[in-house]
Amino acid sequence: DAKTTQPPSMDCAEGRAANLPCNHSTISGNEYVYWYRQIHSQGPQYIIHGLKNNETNEMASLIITEDRKSSTLILPHATLRDTAVYYCIARDVNDYKLSFGAGTTVTVRA
Amino acid sequence: EAGVAQSPRYKIIEKRQSVAFWCNPISGHATLYWYQQILGQGPKLLIQFQNNGVVDDSQLPKDRFSAERLKGVDSTLKIQPAKLEDSAVYLCASSPHHGQPQHFGDGTRLSIL
């Protein structure tokens, strides 16, 4: 799987949009971009995934650049409960493995 | 729907003892995964089952770790004998089928003294 690069940490203000970047410059055409998050003392939670097109669900939006070398996860209105470690993962369509890196620790501040 | 259930939530044992963890996946999910998460790191896949068959156990330390999913539903992960470096959170995940998003339980936190 392609290696992803994320900033180790970021802060955002409650009620504002949180934009989480992920770099995956070596991603192949067969690799999805997946986002998970892990709240303290809980298991990882699936957020969203995409291949080429932008995606939106009830939790977040995923913006993938046209060259697919980077993506941004957008939490539209961050709340204190969104404080977590966010993982960006590139996963091959023919593979089942999720290879977690260190992720981004996001702290939402009141 | 009920989520992935794991027990126990916490376990403390001494090195060289044995321990077992239990996982009940989401109903109807054919694929089940066990991950190990060492403090400060992301989860690492240990083993994947498709129904009751092993798909991948290449990262499982087979000299001490074993796992089974006898009826294609519940699964157990065992460590015997435990080493200090096995201190970690053991996470179980399931998905409807291979390749679909995985849903995780809250894990078992294992401490080795």
Side-chain angles (χ1 to χ4, degrees), chain B residues 7-21:
Chain B
S7 67
R9 193 79 171 86
Y10 304 93
K11 189 73 178 179
I12 301 173
I13 61 171
E14 294 185 349
K15 61 182 179 183
R16 291 189 288 275
Q17 287 187 324
S18 63
V19 64
F21 314 123

Side-chain angles (χ1 to χ4, degrees), chain A residues 36 38 41 43-44 91 96-97, chain B residues 9 37 48 56 98-99 102:
Chain A
Y36 281 76
Q38 188 169 24
S41 295
R91 204 209 86 207
Y96 45 81
K97 291 179 184 176
Chain B
R9 193 79 171 86
Q37 185 172 23
Q48 181 201 355
D56 182 5
H98 169 88
Q102 298 176 24

Side-chain angles (χ1 to χ4, degrees), chain A residues 32 34 36 38-46 48-49 87 91-103, chain B residues 9-10 33 35 37 40-45 48 55-56 58-59 91 98-107 109:
Chain A
Y32 283 92
Y34 273 75
Y36 281 76
Q38 188 169 24
I39 296 169
H40 181 63
S41 295
Q42 296 183 19
Q45 177 189 23
Y46 166 76
I48 199 167
H49 72 283
Y87 297 99
R91 204 209 86 207
D92 192 282
V93 296
N94 296 314
D95 200 357
Y96 45 81
K97 291 179 184 176
L98 291 174
S99 298
F100 290 83
Chain B
R9 193 79 171 86
Y10 304 93
Y33 312 79
Y35 288 81
Q37 185 172 23
Q41 300 180 15
K44 183 187 82 171
L45 180 70
Q48 181 201 355
V55 173
D56 182 5
S58 60
Q59 299 300 306
L91 295 159
H98 169 88
Q100 294 184 282
Q102 298 176 24
H103 301 266
F104 286 78
D106 287 336
R109 182 176 298 276

